[in-house]
Amino acid sequence: MRPVPHLPLLWGAFLIGIPAITLLVYDAGVIRFVSLAAFLLFLGFALCDLLWSRPLLETISCKAPELVRGTTGRAVEIPLTFLNHGKDLRVLRYGVPATRFFRAEDEVEGTIEALPKGRARSVIFSQIPLKRGNYVMECLYLEIPSWARFWLL
């Protein structure tokens, strides 16, 4: 899992972090301590959001076919089923890597809105094989926002 900063974190860094660091460096009075406290509070909140949100991704399971059989020029429909074992999710983004053996008919990424606890959602995406054969689905990418939406996990 690679956490990626999301827009609220970047805006917070722009509106809180940069001014706080600037005042910390260039001011010599009491404002220096206030800016240090504001910066450390913002940094602590962002890190706590990351640490508390890490287990969210572990509660999602995905069922996908291990082997996909295809014929040249015919669209192959690949079903994906996502099951949420943890808390309710507002947004789940998924992506299937494009390989050199397929031509994507539709988008290879998508979004599932509101995946409640204990519920499953199924999506189907189509790809067209460039030659006949059996193909293995190697990986699938998932992305969810953290609790405070500071990070994309």
Side-chain angles (χ1 to χ4, degrees), residues 67-130:
L67 185 66
V68 177
R69 293 183 175 93
T71 305
T72 306
R74 288 189 184 170
V76 175
E77 292 185 347
I78 302 172
L80 300 174
T81 304
F82 300 100
L83 178 62
N84 183 11
H85 302 285
K87 300 191 182 231
D88 295 348
L89 294 176
R90 294 171 277 189
V91 176
L92 171 70
R93 290 184 58 200
Y94 63 91
V96 179
T99 64
R100 64 176 191 247
F101 303 113
F102 288 99
R103 184 180 74 220
E105 185 175 281
D106 294 328
E107 291 291 325
V108 292
E109 62 183 42
T111 303
I112 296 175
E113 300 287 335
L115 186 59
K117 177 182 180 178
R119 298 283 311 262
R121 292 275 169 90
S122 296
V123 294
I124 296 175
F125 72 96
S126 298
Q127 289 189 338
I128 300 173
L130 298 177

Short mmCIF file of all heavy atoms in Angstrom, two decimals, residues 67-130:
data_model
loop_
_atom_site.label_atom_id
_atom_site.label_comp_id
_atom_site.label_asym_id
_atom_site.label_seq_id
_atom_site.Cartn_x
_atom_site.Cartn_y
_atom_site.Cartn_z
N LEU A 67 -8.13 -17.05 -14.41
CA LEU A 67 -7.78 -17.32 -15.80
C LEU A 67 -8.87 -16.77 -16.71
O LEU A 67 -10.05 -17.00 -16.49
CB LEU A 67 -7.65 -18.84 -16.01
CG LEU A 67 -7.18 -19.30 -17.38
CD1 LEU A 67 -5.75 -18.86 -17.63
CD2 LEU A 67 -7.30 -20.81 -17.49
N VAL A 68 -8.45 -16.04 -17.72
CA VAL A 68 -9.37 -15.46 -18.69
C VAL A 68 -9.05 -16.08 -20.04
O VAL A 68 -7.91 -16.04 -20.50
CB VAL A 68 -9.22 -13.92 -18.75
CG1 VAL A 68 -10.13 -13.33 -19.80
CG2 VAL A 68 -9.51 -13.32 -17.39
N ARG A 69 -10.07 -16.65 -20.68
CA ARG A 69 -9.89 -17.24 -22.00
C ARG A 69 -10.46 -16.29 -23.04
O ARG A 69 -11.57 -15.79 -22.88
CB ARG A 69 -10.59 -18.59 -22.08
CG ARG A 69 -9.95 -19.62 -21.17
CD ARG A 69 -10.63 -20.98 -21.33
NE ARG A 69 -9.94 -21.97 -20.56
CZ ARG A 69 -10.26 -22.30 -19.31
NH1 ARG A 69 -11.25 -21.71 -18.72
NH2 ARG A 69 -9.57 -23.21 -18.67
N GLY A 70 -9.69 -16.06 -24.07
CA GLY A 70 -10.16 -15.11 -25.07
C GLY A 70 -9.87 -15.54 -26.49
O GLY A 70 -8.97 -16.34 -26.76
N THR A 71 -10.66 -15.01 -27.41
CA THR A 71 -10.51 -15.24 -28.84
C THR A 71 -10.24 -13.89 -29.50
O THR A 71 -10.82 -12.87 -29.10
CB THR A 71 -11.80 -15.86 -29.42
OG1 THR A 71 -12.10 -17.04 -28.67
CG2 THR A 71 -11.62 -16.21 -30.88
N THR A 72 -9.43 -13.88 -30.49
CA THR A 72 -9.05 -12.66 -31.17
C THR A 72 -10.27 -11.89 -31.66
O THR A 72 -11.14 -12.44 -32.34
CB THR A 72 -8.14 -12.97 -32.37
OG1 THR A 72 -7.05 -13.76 -31.91
CG2 THR A 72 -7.63 -11.69 -33.01
N GLY A 73 -10.35 -10.62 -31.28
CA GLY A 73 -11.41 -9.75 -31.78
C GLY A 73 -12.74 -9.83 -31.06
O GLY A 73 -13.62 -9.03 -31.32
N ARG A 74 -12.93 -10.78 -30.16
CA ARG A 74 -14.19 -10.89 -29.41
C ARG A 74 -13.99 -10.33 -28.01
O ARG A 74 -13.04 -10.68 -27.33
CB ARG A 74 -14.65 -12.33 -29.30
CG ARG A 74 -15.15 -12.90 -30.57
CD ARG A 74 -15.76 -14.24 -30.31
NE ARG A 74 -16.19 -14.86 -31.54
CZ ARG A 74 -16.59 -16.10 -31.64
NH1 ARG A 74 -16.60 -16.87 -30.56
NH2 ARG A 74 -16.97 -16.60 -32.79
N ALA A 75 -14.93 -9.51 -27.59
CA ALA A 75 -14.84 -8.90 -26.27
C ALA A 75 -15.00 -9.97 -25.18
O ALA A 75 -15.85 -10.84 -25.27
CB ALA A 75 -15.90 -7.83 -26.11
N VAL A 76 -14.15 -9.88 -24.19
CA VAL A 76 -14.21 -10.77 -23.03
C VAL A 76 -14.70 -9.95 -21.85
O VAL A 76 -14.13 -8.92 -21.53
CB VAL A 76 -12.81 -11.35 -22.72
CG1 VAL A 76 -12.84 -12.18 -21.46
CG2 VAL A 76 -12.30 -12.15 -23.89
N GLU A 77 -15.79 -10.40 -21.24
CA GLU A 77 -16.30 -9.72 -20.07
C GLU A 77 -15.70 -10.34 -18.81
O GLU A 77 -15.80 -11.55 -18.60
CB GLU A 77 -17.82 -9.79 -20.03
CG GLU A 77 -18.48 -9.00 -21.12
CD GLU A 77 -19.98 -8.98 -21.00
OE1 GLU A 77 -20.53 -9.77 -20.20
OE2 GLU A 77 -20.59 -8.16 -21.69
N ILE A 78 -15.08 -9.50 -18.00
CA ILE A 78 -14.42 -9.96 -16.79
C ILE A 78 -15.19 -9.43 -15.59
O ILE A 78 -15.24 -8.22 -15.38
CB ILE A 78 -12.95 -9.50 -16.77
CG1 ILE A 78 -12.23 -10.01 -18.02
CG2 ILE A 78 -12.26 -9.96 -15.50
CD1 ILE A 78 -10.85 -9.48 -18.21
N PRO A 79 -15.81 -10.32 -14.80
CA PRO A 79 -16.56 -9.86 -13.62
C PRO A 79 -15.64 -9.66 -12.41
O PRO A 79 -14.74 -10.46 -12.16
CB PRO A 79 -17.55 -10.99 -13.38
CG PRO A 79 -16.85 -12.21 -13.88
CD PRO A 79 -15.98 -11.74 -15.04
N LEU A 80 -15.86 -8.58 -11.70
CA LEU A 80 -15.15 -8.31 -10.45
C LEU A 80 -16.19 -8.12 -9.36
O LEU A 80 -17.17 -7.40 -9.55
CB LEU A 80 -14.31 -7.03 -10.56
CG LEU A 80 -13.23 -6.99 -11.63
CD1 LEU A 80 -12.61 -5.62 -11.68
CD2 LEU A 80 -12.19 -8.04 -11.36
N THR A 81 -15.99 -8.76 -8.22
CA THR A 81 -16.90 -8.62 -7.09
C THR A 81 -16.11 -8.12 -5.89
O THR A 81 -15.12 -8.73 -5.50
CB THR A 81 -17.56 -9.97 -6.75
OG1 THR A 81 -18.23 -10.46 -7.92
CG2 THR A 81 -18.57 -9.81 -5.63
N PHE A 82 -16.56 -7.00 -5.33
CA PHE A 82 -15.92 -6.39 -4.18
C PHE A 82 -16.81 -6.60 -2.96
O PHE A 82 -18.00 -6.34 -3.01
CB PHE A 82 -15.70 -4.90 -4.40
CG PHE A 82 -14.84 -4.60 -5.58
CD1 PHE A 82 -15.42 -4.22 -6.79
CD2 PHE A 82 -13.47 -4.70 -5.51
CE1 PHE A 82 -14.65 -3.95 -7.88
CE2 PHE A 82 -12.69 -4.43 -6.61
CZ PHE A 82 -13.27 -4.05 -7.80
N LEU A 83 -16.21 -7.06 -1.86
CA LEU A 83 -16.95 -7.30 -0.63
C LEU A 83 -16.28 -6.51 0.49
O LEU A 83 -15.07 -6.59 0.68
CB LEU A 83 -16.97 -8.79 -0.29
CG LEU A 83 -17.67 -9.19 1.00
CD1 LEU A 83 -19.14 -8.83 0.96
CD2 LEU A 83 -17.50 -10.68 1.24
N ASN A 84 -17.09 -5.75 1.22
CA ASN A 84 -16.58 -4.94 2.32
C ASN A 84 -16.87 -5.65 3.64
O ASN A 84 -18.01 -5.83 4.02
CB ASN A 84 -17.26 -3.56 2.29
CG ASN A 84 -16.73 -2.65 3.36
OD1 ASN A 84 -15.75 -2.94 4.01
ND2 ASN A 84 -17.41 -1.54 3.55
N HIS A 85 -15.81 -6.04 4.34
CA HIS A 85 -15.95 -6.71 5.63
C HIS A 85 -15.86 -5.72 6.79
O HIS A 85 -16.16 -6.07 7.91
CB HIS A 85 -14.86 -7.77 5.82
CG HIS A 85 -14.85 -8.81 4.77
ND1 HIS A 85 -15.79 -9.82 4.72
CD2 HIS A 85 -14.04 -9.01 3.71
CE1 HIS A 85 -15.54 -10.60 3.67
NE2 HIS A 85 -14.48 -10.13 3.06
N GLY A 86 -15.41 -4.49 6.52
CA GLY A 86 -15.19 -3.51 7.58
C GLY A 86 -16.29 -2.47 7.62
O GLY A 86 -17.45 -2.76 7.36
N LYS A 87 -15.91 -1.25 7.94
CA LYS A 87 -16.87 -0.15 8.08
C LYS A 87 -17.35 0.32 6.72
O LYS A 87 -16.75 0.01 5.70
CB LYS A 87 -16.22 0.99 8.85
CG LYS A 87 -15.78 0.56 10.22
CD LYS A 87 -15.39 1.73 11.06
CE LYS A 87 -14.92 1.21 12.40
NZ LYS A 87 -15.51 1.80 13.50
N ASP A 88 -18.44 1.08 6.73
CA ASP A 88 -19.01 1.61 5.49
C ASP A 88 -17.99 2.49 4.77
O ASP A 88 -17.31 3.32 5.39
CB ASP A 88 -20.25 2.44 5.79
CG ASP A 88 -21.38 1.61 6.35
OD1 ASP A 88 -21.29 0.38 6.31
OD2 ASP A 88 -22.36 2.21 6.83
N LEU A 89 -17.91 2.31 3.47
CA LEU A 89 -17.01 3.11 2.65
C LEU A 89 -17.81 4.08 1.79
O LEU A 89 -18.85 3.71 1.25
CB LEU A 89 -16.17 2.22 1.74
CG LEU A 89 -15.17 1.30 2.42
CD1 LEU A 89 -14.50 0.41 1.40
CD2 LEU A 89 -14.14 2.10 3.17
N ARG A 90 -17.32 5.29 1.68
CA ARG A 90 -17.99 6.28 0.84
C ARG A 90 -17.65 6.07 -0.62
O ARG A 90 -18.52 6.17 -1.49
CB ARG A 90 -17.57 7.69 1.26
CG ARG A 90 -18.05 8.06 2.65
CD ARG A 90 -17.45 9.35 3.07
NE ARG A 90 -16.11 9.02 3.59
CZ ARG A 90 -15.34 9.86 4.21
NH1 ARG A 90 -15.70 11.09 4.38
NH2 ARG A 90 -14.17 9.49 4.67
N VAL A 91 -16.39 5.79 -0.90
CA VAL A 91 -15.92 5.65 -2.28
C VAL A 91 -14.88 4.55 -2.34
O VAL A 91 -14.02 4.44 -1.47
CB VAL A 91 -15.28 6.97 -2.79
CG1 VAL A 91 -14.72 6.80 -4.18
CG2 VAL A 91 -16.27 8.10 -2.76
N LEU A 92 -14.95 3.73 -3.37
CA LEU A 92 -13.93 2.72 -3.67
C LEU A 92 -13.59 2.85 -5.14
O LEU A 92 -14.47 2.73 -5.99
CB LEU A 92 -14.44 1.32 -3.35
CG LEU A 92 -13.56 0.16 -3.81
CD1 LEU A 92 -12.29 0.11 -2.98
CD2 LEU A 92 -14.30 -1.16 -3.71
N ARG A 93 -12.35 3.12 -5.43
CA ARG A 93 -11.91 3.18 -6.82
C ARG A 93 -11.11 1.92 -7.13
O ARG A 93 -10.36 1.43 -6.29
CB ARG A 93 -11.03 4.41 -7.06
CG ARG A 93 -11.81 5.70 -6.99
CD ARG A 93 -10.97 6.90 -7.32
NE ARG A 93 -10.43 6.73 -8.66
CZ ARG A 93 -9.38 7.38 -9.11
NH1 ARG A 93 -8.74 8.22 -8.36
NH2 ARG A 93 -8.95 7.18 -10.34
N TYR A 94 -11.31 1.39 -8.32
CA TYR A 94 -10.57 0.19 -8.73
C TYR A 94 -9.97 0.44 -10.11
O TYR A 94 -10.44 1.28 -10.88
CB TYR A 94 -11.48 -1.04 -8.74
CG TYR A 94 -12.61 -0.95 -9.74
CD1 TYR A 94 -12.47 -1.41 -11.03
CD2 TYR A 94 -13.83 -0.38 -9.39
CE1 TYR A 94 -13.50 -1.31 -11.95
CE2 TYR A 94 -14.86 -0.28 -10.28
CZ TYR A 94 -14.68 -0.75 -11.56
OH TYR A 94 -15.70 -0.63 -12.46
N GLY A 95 -8.94 -0.29 -10.39
CA GLY A 95 -8.29 -0.19 -11.69
C GLY A 95 -7.66 -1.51 -12.07
O GLY A 95 -7.15 -2.24 -11.23
N VAL A 96 -7.74 -1.81 -13.35
CA VAL A 96 -7.14 -3.02 -13.89
C VAL A 96 -6.02 -2.57 -14.82
O VAL A 96 -6.24 -1.75 -15.71
CB VAL A 96 -8.19 -3.85 -14.68
CG1 VAL A 96 -7.55 -5.09 -15.25
CG2 VAL A 96 -9.35 -4.19 -13.78
N PRO A 97 -4.81 -3.06 -14.61
CA PRO A 97 -3.71 -2.61 -15.46
C PRO A 97 -3.90 -3.07 -16.90
O PRO A 97 -4.33 -4.20 -17.16
CB PRO A 97 -2.48 -3.24 -14.82
CG PRO A 97 -2.99 -4.40 -14.05
CD PRO A 97 -4.38 -4.04 -13.62
N ALA A 98 -3.61 -2.19 -17.83
CA ALA A 98 -3.68 -2.54 -19.25
C ALA A 98 -2.45 -3.35 -19.61
O ALA A 98 -1.33 -2.99 -19.26
CB ALA A 98 -3.76 -1.27 -20.08
N THR A 99 -2.66 -4.45 -20.28
CA THR A 99 -1.54 -5.28 -20.70
C THR A 99 -1.40 -5.21 -22.21
O THR A 99 -2.28 -4.74 -22.92
CB THR A 99 -1.75 -6.75 -20.28
OG1 THR A 99 -2.90 -7.25 -20.96
CG2 THR A 99 -1.97 -6.86 -18.78
N ARG A 100 -0.32 -5.72 -22.69
CA ARG A 100 -0.08 -5.67 -24.14
C ARG A 100 -0.89 -6.73 -24.90
O ARG A 100 -0.93 -6.72 -26.11
CB ARG A 100 1.40 -5.84 -24.42
CG ARG A 100 1.94 -7.18 -24.00
CD ARG A 100 3.39 -7.32 -24.40
NE ARG A 100 3.81 -8.67 -24.23
CZ ARG A 100 4.69 -9.07 -23.34
NH1 ARG A 100 5.25 -8.20 -22.56
NH2 ARG A 100 5.02 -10.33 -23.24
N PHE A 101 -1.55 -7.63 -24.17
CA PHE A 101 -2.32 -8.69 -24.81
C PHE A 101 -3.77 -8.31 -25.06
O PHE A 101 -4.49 -9.03 -25.73
CB PHE A 101 -2.28 -9.97 -23.96
CG PHE A 101 -0.89 -10.45 -23.68
CD1 PHE A 101 -0.39 -10.41 -22.40
CD2 PHE A 101 -0.08 -10.91 -24.70
CE1 PHE A 101 0.89 -10.85 -22.13
CE2 PHE A 101 1.20 -11.34 -24.44
CZ PHE A 101 1.69 -11.31 -23.15
N PHE A 102 -4.22 -7.19 -24.49
CA PHE A 102 -5.62 -6.77 -24.60
C PHE A 102 -5.72 -5.35 -25.12
O PHE A 102 -4.85 -4.52 -24.89
CB PHE A 102 -6.31 -6.82 -23.23
CG PHE A 102 -6.58 -8.20 -22.74
CD1 PHE A 102 -5.75 -8.80 -21.82
CD2 PHE A 102 -7.69 -8.90 -23.18
CE1 PHE A 102 -5.99 -10.07 -21.35
CE2 PHE A 102 -7.95 -10.18 -22.71
CZ PHE A 102 -7.10 -10.76 -21.80
N ARG A 103 -6.82 -5.10 -25.79
CA ARG A 103 -7.21 -3.73 -26.13
C ARG A 103 -8.46 -3.45 -25.31
O ARG A 103 -9.43 -4.19 -25.38
CB ARG A 103 -7.51 -3.61 -27.63
CG ARG A 103 -7.83 -2.18 -28.04
CD ARG A 103 -8.11 -2.06 -29.50
NE ARG A 103 -9.45 -2.64 -29.74
CZ ARG A 103 -9.78 -3.39 -30.77
NH1 ARG A 103 -8.89 -3.70 -31.67
NH2 ARG A 103 -11.00 -3.84 -30.91
N ALA A 104 -8.41 -2.40 -24.53
CA ALA A 104 -9.53 -2.09 -23.65
C ALA A 104 -10.69 -1.53 -24.46
O ALA A 104 -10.52 -0.60 -25.25
CB ALA A 104 -9.10 -1.09 -22.59
N GLU A 105 -11.87 -2.10 -24.26
CA GLU A 105 -13.06 -1.62 -24.94
C GLU A 105 -13.65 -0.44 -24.18
O GLU A 105 -14.09 0.53 -24.77
CB GLU A 105 -14.09 -2.75 -25.04
CG GLU A 105 -15.31 -2.40 -25.83
CD GLU A 105 -16.19 -3.60 -25.99
OE1 GLU A 105 -15.89 -4.46 -26.84
OE2 GLU A 105 -17.19 -3.68 -25.25
N ASP A 106 -13.67 -0.50 -22.87
CA ASP A 106 -14.15 0.57 -22.02
C ASP A 106 -13.00 1.02 -21.13
O ASP A 106 -11.86 0.62 -21.31
CB ASP A 106 -15.32 0.08 -21.14
CG ASP A 106 -16.55 -0.28 -21.97
OD1 ASP A 106 -16.76 0.36 -23.01
OD2 ASP A 106 -17.28 -1.20 -21.56
N GLU A 107 -13.34 1.82 -20.15
CA GLU A 107 -12.35 2.25 -19.17
C GLU A 107 -11.89 1.05 -18.34
O GLU A 107 -12.68 0.16 -18.05
CB GLU A 107 -12.94 3.31 -18.24
CG GLU A 107 -13.21 4.62 -18.92
CD GLU A 107 -11.94 5.35 -19.30
OE1 GLU A 107 -10.94 5.26 -18.57
OE2 GLU A 107 -11.94 5.98 -20.36
N VAL A 108 -10.64 1.05 -17.95
CA VAL A 108 -10.12 -0.03 -17.11
C VAL A 108 -10.05 0.41 -15.65
O VAL A 108 -9.41 -0.22 -14.84
CB VAL A 108 -8.74 -0.51 -17.60
CG1 VAL A 108 -8.86 -1.19 -18.93
CG2 VAL A 108 -7.76 0.64 -17.65
N GLU A 109 -10.73 1.50 -15.35
CA GLU A 109 -10.84 1.94 -13.97
C GLU A 109 -12.26 2.41 -13.72
O GLU A 109 -12.99 2.73 -14.65
CB GLU A 109 -9.86 3.07 -13.66
CG GLU A 109 -10.10 4.31 -14.48
CD GLU A 109 -9.06 5.37 -14.19
OE1 GLU A 109 -7.89 5.04 -14.07
OE2 GLU A 109 -9.47 6.53 -14.08
N GLY A 110 -12.64 2.40 -12.48
CA GLY A 110 -14.01 2.80 -12.16
C GLY A 110 -14.14 3.15 -10.70
O GLY A 110 -13.21 3.00 -9.90
N THR A 111 -15.32 3.61 -10.35
CA THR A 111 -15.61 4.03 -8.99
C THR A 111 -16.90 3.38 -8.51
O THR A 111 -17.87 3.33 -9.24
CB THR A 111 -15.76 5.57 -8.93
OG1 THR A 111 -14.58 6.16 -9.44
CG2 THR A 111 -16.00 6.04 -7.52
N ILE A 112 -16.87 2.90 -7.30
CA ILE A 112 -18.08 2.37 -6.65
C ILE A 112 -18.41 3.35 -5.52
O ILE A 112 -17.59 3.58 -4.63
CB ILE A 112 -17.84 0.96 -6.09
CG1 ILE A 112 -17.54 0.00 -7.23
CG2 ILE A 112 -19.04 0.50 -5.29
CD1 ILE A 112 -17.17 -1.39 -6.77
N GLU A 113 -19.59 3.92 -5.59
CA GLU A 113 -20.04 4.85 -4.56
C GLU A 113 -20.73 4.08 -3.44
O GLU A 113 -21.52 3.19 -3.70
CB GLU A 113 -21.01 5.87 -5.14
CG GLU A 113 -20.43 6.72 -6.25
CD GLU A 113 -19.44 7.74 -5.76
OE1 GLU A 113 -19.53 8.13 -4.58
OE2 GLU A 113 -18.57 8.13 -6.55
N ALA A 114 -20.45 4.41 -2.22
CA ALA A 114 -21.12 3.89 -1.03
C ALA A 114 -21.17 2.36 -0.99
O ALA A 114 -22.11 1.74 -1.45
CB ALA A 114 -22.53 4.45 -0.92
N LEU A 115 -20.13 1.77 -0.44
CA LEU A 115 -20.08 0.32 -0.24
C LEU A 115 -20.28 0.04 1.25
O LEU A 115 -19.36 0.15 2.04
CB LEU A 115 -18.74 -0.23 -0.73
CG LEU A 115 -18.57 -1.73 -0.72
CD1 LEU A 115 -19.62 -2.40 -1.60
CD2 LEU A 115 -17.19 -2.11 -1.21
N PRO A 116 -21.53 -0.31 1.66
CA PRO A 116 -21.81 -0.53 3.08
C PRO A 116 -21.12 -1.80 3.61
O PRO A 116 -20.73 -2.68 2.86
CB PRO A 116 -23.32 -0.69 3.14
CG PRO A 116 -23.84 -0.23 1.83
CD PRO A 116 -22.72 -0.39 0.85
N LYS A 117 -21.05 -1.87 4.93
CA LYS A 117 -20.43 -3.01 5.60
C LYS A 117 -21.22 -4.28 5.29
O LYS A 117 -22.45 -4.30 5.35
CB LYS A 117 -20.42 -2.77 7.10
CG LYS A 117 -19.87 -3.92 7.90
CD LYS A 117 -19.92 -3.64 9.37
CE LYS A 117 -19.37 -4.83 10.13
NZ LYS A 117 -19.36 -4.58 11.57
N GLY A 118 -20.51 -5.35 4.94
CA GLY A 118 -21.14 -6.64 4.67
C GLY A 118 -21.79 -6.77 3.31
O GLY A 118 -22.38 -7.80 3.03
N ARG A 119 -21.71 -5.76 2.49
CA ARG A 119 -22.35 -5.79 1.17
C ARG A 119 -21.31 -6.06 0.10
O ARG A 119 -20.13 -5.76 0.24
CB ARG A 119 -23.03 -4.46 0.86
CG ARG A 119 -24.15 -4.06 1.78
CD ARG A 119 -25.44 -4.81 1.53
NE ARG A 119 -25.84 -4.82 0.15
CZ ARG A 119 -26.72 -4.03 -0.42
NH1 ARG A 119 -27.34 -3.12 0.31
NH2 ARG A 119 -27.02 -4.13 -1.69
N ALA A 120 -21.77 -6.62 -1.01
CA ALA A 120 -20.91 -6.89 -2.15
C ALA A 120 -21.44 -6.11 -3.35
O ALA A 120 -22.64 -5.92 -3.51
CB ALA A 120 -20.89 -8.38 -2.46
N ARG A 121 -20.54 -5.67 -4.18
CA ARG A 121 -20.89 -5.00 -5.44
C ARG A 121 -20.12 -5.68 -6.55
O ARG A 121 -18.95 -6.01 -6.41
CB ARG A 121 -20.51 -3.52 -5.41
CG ARG A 121 -21.30 -2.68 -4.47
CD ARG A 121 -22.59 -2.22 -5.12
NE ARG A 121 -23.48 -1.62 -4.16
CZ ARG A 121 -23.51 -0.35 -3.84
NH1 ARG A 121 -22.69 0.47 -4.43
NH2 ARG A 121 -24.37 0.09 -2.95
N SER A 122 -20.80 -5.87 -7.66
CA SER A 122 -20.16 -6.49 -8.81
C SER A 122 -20.10 -5.51 -9.97
O SER A 122 -21.04 -4.74 -10.18
CB SER A 122 -20.95 -7.73 -9.26
OG SER A 122 -20.91 -8.71 -8.25
N VAL A 123 -19.01 -5.55 -10.68
CA VAL A 123 -18.84 -4.75 -11.89
C VAL A 123 -18.28 -5.66 -12.97
O VAL A 123 -17.63 -6.66 -12.69
CB VAL A 123 -17.91 -3.54 -11.67
CG1 VAL A 123 -18.51 -2.54 -10.71
CG2 VAL A 123 -16.55 -3.98 -11.18
N ILE A 124 -18.56 -5.31 -14.19
CA ILE A 124 -18.05 -6.08 -15.33
C ILE A 124 -17.37 -5.11 -16.27
O ILE A 124 -17.91 -4.07 -16.61
CB ILE A 124 -19.20 -6.81 -16.06
CG1 ILE A 124 -19.82 -7.85 -15.13
CG2 ILE A 124 -18.69 -7.46 -17.34
CD1 ILE A 124 -21.03 -8.55 -15.70
N PHE A 125 -16.16 -5.45 -16.67
CA PHE A 125 -15.50 -4.64 -17.67
C PHE A 125 -15.08 -5.52 -18.83
O PHE A 125 -14.89 -6.73 -18.69
CB PHE A 125 -14.32 -3.85 -17.09
CG PHE A 125 -13.13 -4.69 -16.75
CD1 PHE A 125 -12.09 -4.80 -17.64
CD2 PHE A 125 -13.03 -5.34 -15.54
CE1 PHE A 125 -10.98 -5.56 -17.33
CE2 PHE A 125 -11.94 -6.09 -15.22
CZ PHE A 125 -10.90 -6.20 -16.13
N SER A 126 -14.99 -4.92 -20.00
CA SER A 126 -14.70 -5.68 -21.22
C SER A 126 -13.33 -5.32 -21.76
O SER A 126 -12.92 -4.16 -21.73
CB SER A 126 -15.74 -5.36 -22.29
OG SER A 126 -17.01 -5.76 -21.86
N GLN A 127 -12.66 -6.34 -22.25
CA GLN A 127 -11.40 -6.16 -22.95
C GLN A 127 -11.41 -7.07 -24.17
O GLN A 127 -12.04 -8.12 -24.17
CB GLN A 127 -10.21 -6.48 -22.06
CG GLN A 127 -9.99 -5.45 -20.98
CD GLN A 127 -8.69 -5.66 -20.26
OE1 GLN A 127 -8.12 -6.76 -20.25
NE2 GLN A 127 -8.19 -4.63 -19.62
N ILE A 128 -10.69 -6.67 -25.20
CA ILE A 128 -10.62 -7.45 -26.44
C ILE A 128 -9.21 -8.03 -26.56
O ILE A 128 -8.23 -7.28 -26.66
CB ILE A 128 -10.96 -6.58 -27.66
CG1 ILE A 128 -12.37 -6.01 -27.50
CG2 ILE A 128 -10.82 -7.36 -28.94
CD1 ILE A 128 -12.75 -5.01 -28.57
N PRO A 129 -9.09 -9.36 -26.58
CA PRO A 129 -7.76 -9.97 -26.74
C PRO A 129 -7.20 -9.71 -28.14
O PRO A 129 -7.94 -9.72 -29.13
CB PRO A 129 -8.01 -11.47 -26.54
CG PRO A 129 -9.36 -11.59 -25.94
CD PRO A 129 -10.12 -10.38 -26.33
N LEU A 130 -5.92 -9.48 -28.22
CA LEU A 130 -5.28 -9.26 -29.51
C LEU A 130 -4.90 -10.57 -30.19
O LEU A 130 -4.65 -10.59 -31.38
CB LEU A 130 -4.06 -8.36 -29.34
CG LEU A 130 -4.37 -6.95 -28.80
CD1 LEU A 130 -3.10 -6.17 -28.59
CD2 LEU A 130 -5.31 -6.23 -29.76
#
